Short mmCIF file of all heavy atoms in Angstrom, two decimals:
data_model
loop_
_atom_site.label_atom_id
_atom_site.label_comp_id
_atom_site.label_asym_id
_atom_site.label_seq_id
_atom_site.Cartn_x
_atom_site.Cartn_y
_atom_site.Cartn_z
N ILE A 10 0.93 -10.27 -11.33
CA ILE A 10 0.47 -11.60 -10.92
C ILE A 10 1.24 -12.70 -11.64
O ILE A 10 1.66 -13.69 -11.03
CB ILE A 10 -1.05 -11.74 -11.14
CG1 ILE A 10 -1.80 -10.89 -10.11
CG2 ILE A 10 -1.50 -13.20 -11.07
CD1 ILE A 10 -3.28 -10.77 -10.34
N PHE A 27 -13.33 -8.97 -13.33
CA PHE A 27 -13.59 -8.64 -11.93
C PHE A 27 -13.13 -7.24 -11.50
O PHE A 27 -13.49 -6.80 -10.42
CB PHE A 27 -12.91 -9.67 -11.03
CG PHE A 27 -13.64 -10.98 -10.97
CD1 PHE A 27 -13.34 -12.00 -11.85
CD2 PHE A 27 -14.65 -11.19 -10.04
CE1 PHE A 27 -14.01 -13.21 -11.81
CE2 PHE A 27 -15.32 -12.39 -9.98
CZ PHE A 27 -15.01 -13.40 -10.87
N LYS A 58 -1.24 7.58 0.72
CA LYS A 58 -0.76 7.46 2.09
C LYS A 58 -1.89 6.91 2.94
O LYS A 58 -3.06 7.24 2.74
CB LYS A 58 -0.29 8.81 2.63
CG LYS A 58 -1.41 9.85 2.72
CD LYS A 58 -0.93 11.17 3.27
CE LYS A 58 -2.09 12.19 3.30
NZ LYS A 58 -1.68 13.48 3.85
N TRP A 79 1.84 -1.52 -5.90
CA TRP A 79 1.60 -1.83 -4.50
C TRP A 79 0.09 -1.92 -4.29
O TRP A 79 -0.70 -1.45 -5.08
CB TRP A 79 2.18 -0.74 -3.60
CG TRP A 79 3.67 -0.72 -3.52
CD1 TRP A 79 4.56 -0.86 -4.54
CD2 TRP A 79 4.44 -0.51 -2.35
NE1 TRP A 79 5.84 -0.76 -4.08
CE2 TRP A 79 5.80 -0.54 -2.74
CE3 TRP A 79 4.12 -0.30 -1.01
CZ2 TRP A 79 6.84 -0.37 -1.84
CZ3 TRP A 79 5.16 -0.12 -0.12
CH2 TRP A 79 6.50 -0.17 -0.53
N PHE A 148 16.25 0.60 16.35
CA PHE A 148 17.12 1.54 15.65
C PHE A 148 16.87 2.98 16.10
O PHE A 148 15.75 3.34 16.45
CB PHE A 148 16.88 1.47 14.14
CG PHE A 148 17.41 0.22 13.48
CD1 PHE A 148 17.36 -1.01 14.09
CD2 PHE A 148 17.95 0.29 12.22
CE1 PHE A 148 17.83 -2.15 13.48
CE2 PHE A 148 18.42 -0.84 11.58
CZ PHE A 148 18.37 -2.06 12.21
N PHE A 157 15.15 3.41 5.50
CA PHE A 157 14.01 3.76 4.64
C PHE A 157 14.50 4.11 3.24
O PHE A 157 13.95 3.63 2.24
CB PHE A 157 13.22 4.92 5.25
CG PHE A 157 12.04 5.34 4.44
CD1 PHE A 157 10.83 4.68 4.56
CD2 PHE A 157 12.14 6.38 3.52
CE1 PHE A 157 9.73 5.05 3.79
CE2 PHE A 157 11.06 6.76 2.75
CZ PHE A 157 9.84 6.09 2.88
N ASN A 163 12.12 4.44 -4.30
CA ASN A 163 11.06 4.98 -5.15
C ASN A 163 10.06 5.79 -4.35
O ASN A 163 9.51 6.78 -4.86
CB ASN A 163 10.34 3.85 -5.90
CG ASN A 163 11.23 3.18 -6.92
OD1 ASN A 163 12.21 3.76 -7.39
ND2 ASN A 163 10.93 1.94 -7.25
N LYS A 188 19.80 14.91 5.97
CA LYS A 188 20.10 15.06 4.54
C LYS A 188 21.35 15.93 4.34
O LYS A 188 22.20 15.63 3.50
CB LYS A 188 18.91 15.66 3.79
CG LYS A 188 17.78 14.66 3.57
CD LYS A 188 16.59 15.32 2.96
CE LYS A 188 16.65 15.21 1.46
NZ LYS A 188 15.38 15.63 0.82
#
Side-chain angles (χ1 to χ4, degrees):
I10 288 171
F27 284 91
K58 63 180 178 179
W79 288 43
F148 288 37
F157 180 84
N163 293 337
K188 284 175 93 170

